[in-house]
Amino acid sequence: MNWRPNLANIDPILDQLLTMSQHLGDPALDYAILGEGNTSARADSETFWVKASGVEMRTIAPAGFVRVRFDRVLDLLAVDNLDDAGVKAGLEAAKADPAVVARPSVETVLHALALHMDGVHFVGHTHPTAVNAILCSQQAEEAIAGRLFPDEIVYCGPAPVYVPYTDPGVPLARAVHQAMVGHQARYGQAPKVVLMQNHGLIALGKTALEVEQITAMAVKAARVLLGAYALGGPHFLEPTAAERIHTRPDELYRRKAWGIE
Ligand SMILES: [Zn+2]
């Protein structure tokens, strides 16, 4: 049984982030174990909630999140030769409430950049075993080069963003941001899924529920892909068929009906 806050006045966005994080940390889903993964949500135009460093998602409580300022977090990107101590001090200074003891996740800069993409209000980063089986393989990049089935496109978008292995923290945040901006320019919308080589998955959603749906579908697609490799390799949808699903009105209607758009 997950811990639930007994506070009537908990911030509704924090409440949604809490539930989303506990769901993503459910061991039965195999998305993240122990202290793996981190999550965030836009609180207002100036601040966002992000998971504290070292906290387990499965049992996370409101105190497991830290509210930080976008401007101070993003200021770290402008600092040359930033070392670990510099990042730690910068994130400490970014806390909306300096009295809070918990330390923001080392991936806080990445979350700030993801929450700045068009229409993104919630972000969930996990290390699902099925996804990492692909991302830790010799064939990671070619394995994720196409779409496998229609619902993958409906939930996960026309294509994922792929980022070769990069040092966690600010260097990874820069690499992911550059790749997300490239995706936005090519497809006219923010990515739903970022896949990081030898690392894991990021789901970007308008709502907490969408982040859970994207993660669930990305994990299913990874399992289908692993099965397809056992039978001679994936047969990707033709790009024209994938594009049609991405843009056809009935799929748009389904996305709206599910509250995705
Ligand atoms: Zn990670």
Side-chain angles (χ1 to χ4, degrees):
M1 190 72 169
N2 285 330
W3 186 90
R4 296 292 306 144
N6 190 22
L7 298 168
N9 61 350
I10 186 172
D11 176 319
I13 293 170
L14 179 58
D15 191 28
Q16 292 164 39
L17 177 63
L18 181 76
T19 304
M20 179 189 98
S21 304
Q22 290 175 344
H23 288 174
L24 293 178
D26 179 353
L29 296 172
D30 199 16
Y31 300 164
I33 61 167
L34 308 174
E36 283 186 320
N38 38 66
T39 52
S40 64
R42 174 180 282 270
D44 56 36
S45 61
E46 292 178 357
T47 64
F48 64 101
W49 295 102
V50 66
K51 198 196 86 161
S53 192
V55 176
E56 187 182 65
M57 291 215 287
R58 180 177 69 94
T59 54
I60 198 162
F65 296 96
V66 190
R67 193 167 182 166
V68 291
R69 297 185 54 87
F70 277 111
D71 56 356
R72 292 197 187 148
V73 172
L74 293 173
D75 278 351
L76 291 172
L77 290 165
V79 182
D80 286 332
N81 304 318
L82 197 62
D83 59 10
D84 290 347
V87 173
K88 197 176 163 187
L91 292 179
E92 195 63 30
K95 287 179 187 175
D97 178 359
V100 169
V101 178
R103 283 192 295 120
S105 161
V106 67
E107 302 300 3
T108 297
V109 183
L110 192 160
H111 282 275
L113 291 167
L115 290 169
H116 258 80
M117 299 300 293
D118 275 356
V120 177
H121 296 272
F122 288 83
V123 174
H125 164 54
T126 53
H127 302 164
T129 303
V131 173
N132 275 358
I134 294 158
L135 295 178
C136 298
S137 76
Q138 295 285 346
Q139 296 171 65
E141 199 163 1
E142 67 175 70
I144 56 116
R147 283 310 200 198
L148 295 163
F149 53 90
D151 275 333
E152 183 190 18
I153 298 165
V154 173
Y155 285 94
C156 300
V161 161
Y162 178 74
V163 181
Y165 185 78
T166 308
D167 216 21
V170 175
L172 179 61
R174 281 188 219 274
V176 170
H177 184 237
Q178 193 179 24
M180 289 193 301
V181 169
H183 180 102
Q184 174 101 35
R186 179 169 172 189
Y187 295 100
Q189 62 178 57
K192 305 276 189 197
V193 169
V194 176
L195 298 172
M196 299 179 289
Q197 186 184 31
N198 290 90
H199 185 166
L201 165 79
I202 305 171
L204 300 91
K206 190 172 184 179
T207 64
L209 177 64
E210 191 189 6
V211 168
E212 289 188 43
Q213 291 173 331
I214 292 167
T215 306
M217 191 57 79
V219 169
K220 173 161 183 162
R223 292 199 183 111
V224 169
L225 190 57
L226 291 166
Y229 270 101
L231 289 170
H235 174 264
F236 291 131
L237 292 169
E238 291 294 331
T240 49
E243 179 60 21
R244 204 156 54 240
I245 291 158
H246 174 53
T247 53
R248 54 190 263 195
D250 55 338
E251 295 295 347
L252 288 175
Y253 172 79
R254 283 166 68 189
R255 283 202 287 254
K256 279 201 176 78
W258 291 327
I260 293 175
E261 282 182 6

